[in-house]
Amino acid sequence: MLKLQDTLSGKKVEFEPLKPGFVGMYVCGPTVYSPAHIGNCRTFVSFDVIYRTLLYLGNKVRYVRNITDVGHLLDDGEDRMSKGARLQQLEPMEVAQEHTVGFHDMMRIFNNLPPSIEPRATGHIIEQIEMVEQIIEAGLAYESNGSVYFDVPAYLEKGEGYGSLSGRKVDDLMAESRDLKAQGDKRHPSDFAIWMKAGPDHIMRWNSPWSVGFPGWHLECSAMSRKYLGEEFDIHGGGNDLKFPHHENEIAQNQASCGHGGARYWLHTNMLLLNGKKMSKSDGNHITTEQLISGESEHVSKGYSPMAIRFFMLMAHYGSPLDMSDDALAAAEKGYQRLMEAVKRSETLEGTGSEGAPLDLEIHKALDEARAHMLDDFNTPRAIASLFEVASLINSIADGHRKASDLSAAGFAEARTKLLALVHDVLGLQASTGGDADDSSERINGLMELVIDLRAQSRADRNWAMSDQIRDQLAALDIELKDGKEGTTFSLK
Ligand code: AMP
Ligand code: ZN
């Protein structure tokens, strides 16, 4: 049984989909007025693992992840897309296209599966206008000067909860309400815009019953999740910085327009930090994906492969903050290499023992624990710890410390299938391809093959002094040689 930490109830609950075997999941996607950063990527890698786990459990999953290409307001009331386009003298759709393509490239290199549907906010203006009409009809929104506002006090009077997702009290919310440009048109500071009248310079604009304008940012996710997943669906997710106001307002809009809050379970990912501080473009505490892969940044000593970065992200639970640093990345890279080395070795390893061989039980126990950790709120760090136990067992046989006859042929074949499913299908880890970092590990492998051959040659020549010198000097560089049945292998400590 799959358990997940539901942010709405604040509890870890057993997941029960509305229709057995089918899961509807909506995740707030990127805003495409600027390039996605590695912090955004953490959120999408987390939901990719959640999606993969649901598929692994045999569900049919409709995974909807939107593209926000309108409606994300800046403090001065201007739409980010419009502003980006105006500054660069481009069509807003050119800006959106450039960053959508960049986002897709980034998702591909980190081996994220594409969602089943990727709707755009600008492609769903009709649905958003319909929702505004429904909310007005329900008496929970009002028009003011061509804009339409959600009436938070009226909504509360109906006895609907507001603030339960983010744990905020309405009084605090009222006090906190920001002084947006359109403040004068609102009846109450906590009311929020669901339709905005466009100013004369605003480029992105559509006809509506109230004005030529554009939808409020929160509306798109309410309208698109309902269109593709229904009034009630299973899971809604996003980064925890979206809990308020975005998700709180989404629930209110859904409830006000049709009497259902939308998702039954809410999942929120925690933030990626850089050297202990929230990643932020404004104070220079950020790193782009390209810099992380190429190593051209003051924050890293070298480049890391996308798979090592993905592994690093999986080393923390999605609900915990994750601090990115050069040391942490280097440790993750080693862990990733160790795991993938064992996966590679498992492909050629055969158990030669008979049924019930001593290691069968041990290897299956560790694999079943890894699976159980994934089913316990997608606990990737614990699952990885169990997979390391499997890797140690495989390495001990491949290195000749344990006998292949300690495993049965059928038992190991089954274990291999379980291992590959967990590593490739669930965690989405592949053998690395591309990138500078892979290039350098390939070169290290080639170089080590040469050194190992030279040592074998010196031993064949009975030149023990030379062979010892090679081993000792490698040890001084933290490179350990292991002489096993199938020859000499090396490991980086
Ligand atoms: P945005 O494109 O800014 O709307 O963000 C897309 C997704 O990335 C949202 O779910 C955000 O909550 C999430 N996000 C933004 N910054 C970070 C970060 N530093 N770490 C993790 N997720 C983030
Ligand atoms: Zn959203």
Side-chain angles (χ1 to χ4, degrees):
M1 184 53 98
L2 173 64
K3 284 191 185 153
L4 44 87
Q5 181 66 35
D6 173 29
T7 335
L8 194 56
S9 64
K11 291 188 188 130
K12 198 185 263 187
V13 294
E14 279 190 4
F15 173 65
E16 272 180 65
L18 279 162
K19 287 182 229 152
F22 176 86
V23 181
M25 177 164 86
Y26 187 93
V27 172
C28 291
T31 24
V32 287
Y33 56 82
S34 64
H37 56 72
I38 196 79
N40 304 133
C41 193
R42 179 193 185 193
T43 285
F44 299 121
V45 165
S46 300
F47 282 104
D48 182 58
V49 170
I50 290 169
Y51 177 38
R52 285 169 174 276
T53 308
L54 293 166
L55 292 173
Y56 164 79
L57 293 175
N59 295 294
K60 185 174 177 344
V61 185
R62 184 175 300 152
Y63 173 21
V64 183
R65 189 183 66 205
N66 67 303
I67 297 276
T68 296
D69 55 359
V70 67
H72 204 147
L73 280 189
L74 295 168
D75 285 356
D76 62 5
E78 191 172 8
D79 185 288
R80 285 187 197 259
M81 285 301 310
S82 294
K83 184 164 188 173
R86 192 170 46 71
L87 293 177
Q88 298 172 63
Q89 296 192 322
L90 295 169
E91 275 293 319
M93 277 302 152
E94 269 181 289
V95 180
Q97 178 67 6
E98 182 190 341
H99 298 307
T100 304
V101 169
F103 173 70
H104 286 158
D105 287 346
M106 177 156 139
M107 291 298 97
R108 209 171 307 112
I109 62 165
F110 286 106
N111 199 28
N112 284 343
L113 296 172
S116 331
I117 306 178
E118 196 171 45
R120 283 174 174 269
T122 51
H124 297 77
I125 301 295
I126 292 169
E127 289 82 353
Q128 295 182 72
I129 290 176
E130 265 170 24
M131 197 171 248
V132 175
E133 283 171 336
Q134 288 163 356
I135 302 174
I136 294 176
E137 249 164 60
L140 297 171
Y142 56 88
E143 193 219 315
S144 173
N145 248 332
S147 293
V148 181
Y149 294 93
F150 191 96
D151 190 338
V152 174
Y155 180 68
L156 288 170
E157 239 167 69
K158 278 194 75 182
E160 306 287 5
Y162 182 70
S164 40
L165 188 64
S166 53
R168 295 187 182 217
K169 295 200 179 67
V170 177
D171 291 348
D172 298 344
L173 290 175
M174 311 261 173
E176 269 176 32
S177 290
R178 281 205 273 162
D179 198 18
L180 291 177
K181 210 177 189 178
Q183 183 78 38
D185 297 334
K186 286 196 213 176
R187 289 187 196 153
H188 196 281
S190 67
D191 294 349
F192 56 91
I194 49 180
W195 185 263
M196 297 283 279
K197 181 180 173 178
D201 300 333
H202 207 99
I203 318 172
M204 300 186 91
R205 45 173 68 223
W206 291 267
N207 280 326
S208 80
W210 314 284
S211 61
V212 175
F214 55 96
W217 167 42
H218 316 301
L219 199 62
E220 61 172 282
C221 292
S222 286
M224 295 190 286
S225 62
R226 178 182 304 175
K227 173 159 178 154
Y228 297 110
L229 297 171
E231 289 183 355
E232 241 195 313
F233 58 96
D234 297 300
I235 298 174
H236 194 314
N240 67 6
D241 57 340
L242 297 185
K243 275 188 193 170
F244 182 83
H246 186 52
H247 290 159
E248 207 72 76
N249 291 351
E250 253 191 82
I251 296 177
Q253 291 161 163
N254 284 29
Q255 195 75 41
S257 59
C258 76
H260 284 296
R264 299 173 85 206
Y265 304 94
W266 284 80
L267 297 180
H268 285 100
T269 55
N270 216 315
M271 295 289 108
L272 183 69
L273 314 173
L274 182 60
N275 299 318
K277 279 196 293 173
K278 190 176 176 205
M279 251 191 220
S280 146
K281 285 188 188 172
S282 50
D283 65 7
N285 192 45
H286 85 110
I287 180 167
T288 65
T289 312
E290 291 76 22
Q291 286 172 325
L292 199 51
I293 294 171
S294 68
E296 283 160 25
S297 158
E298 50 168 342
H299 297 293
V300 285
S301 59
K302 66 183 196 82
Y304 293 94
S305 72
M307 281 300 109
I309 301 167
R310 183 178 174 104
F311 188 87
F312 160 74
M313 291 179 176
L314 302 181
M315 281 175 70
H317 184 254
Y318 72 85
S320 309
L322 173 62
D323 192 10
M324 182 176 264
S325 66
D326 195 40
D327 287 348
L329 284 163
E333 185 181 54
K334 278 190 187 165
Y336 163 72
Q337 284 166 350
R338 214 176 111 212
L339 182 61
M340 297 317 281
E341 180 66 26
V343 168
K344 200 169 153 207
R345 287 172 135 189
S346 80
E347 280 163 14
T348 48
L349 198 73
E350 299 291 346
T352 57
S354 47
E355 208 186 309
L359 288 187
D360 278 12
L361 201 66
E362 218 173 300
I363 201 162
H364 280 280
K365 182 169 171 277
L367 283 161
D368 294 345
E369 276 168 7
R371 177 189 156 96
H373 289 312
M374 288 310 297
L375 269 56
D376 183 12
D377 196 26
F378 318 100
N379 199 323
T380 51
R382 287 188 162 214
I384 287 173
S386 298
L387 291 176
F388 275 147
E389 288 176 30
V390 178
S392 296
L393 277 169
I394 291 172
N395 287 337
S396 67
I397 294 171
D399 291 338
H401 302 312
R402 307 283 292 254
K403 298 192 294 287
S405 59
D406 283 350
L407 278 173
S408 73
F412 186 67
E414 200 189 325
R416 185 196 295 124
T417 307
K418 286 186 188 175
L419 175 68
L420 297 183
L422 286 165
V423 171
H424 296 317
D425 302 347
V426 178
L427 297 179
L429 295 170
Q430 295 173 323
S432 258
T433 48
D436 290 5
D438 303 319
D439 221 41
S440 61
S441 42
E442 237 170 64
R443 273 192 258 164
I444 290 179
N445 288 340
L447 192 64
M448 284 307 299
E449 227 171 86
L450 178 72
V451 175
I452 288 169
D453 283 348
L454 288 173
R455 179 164 165 269
Q457 190 57 51
S458 55
R459 292 175 119 196
D461 295 340
R462 301 186 150 265
N463 187 349
W464 308 119
M466 175 66 87
S467 115
D468 287 348
Q469 190 188 349
I470 292 175
R471 197 197 49 221
D472 295 346
Q473 290 198 353
L474 287 174
L477 294 169
D478 274 350
I479 302 173
E480 193 186 0
L481 291 185
K482 285 182 203 153
D483 295 312
K485 263 192 199 160
E486 279 148 10
T488 305
T489 55
F490 75 96
S491 60
L492 304 177
K493 277 197 276 180

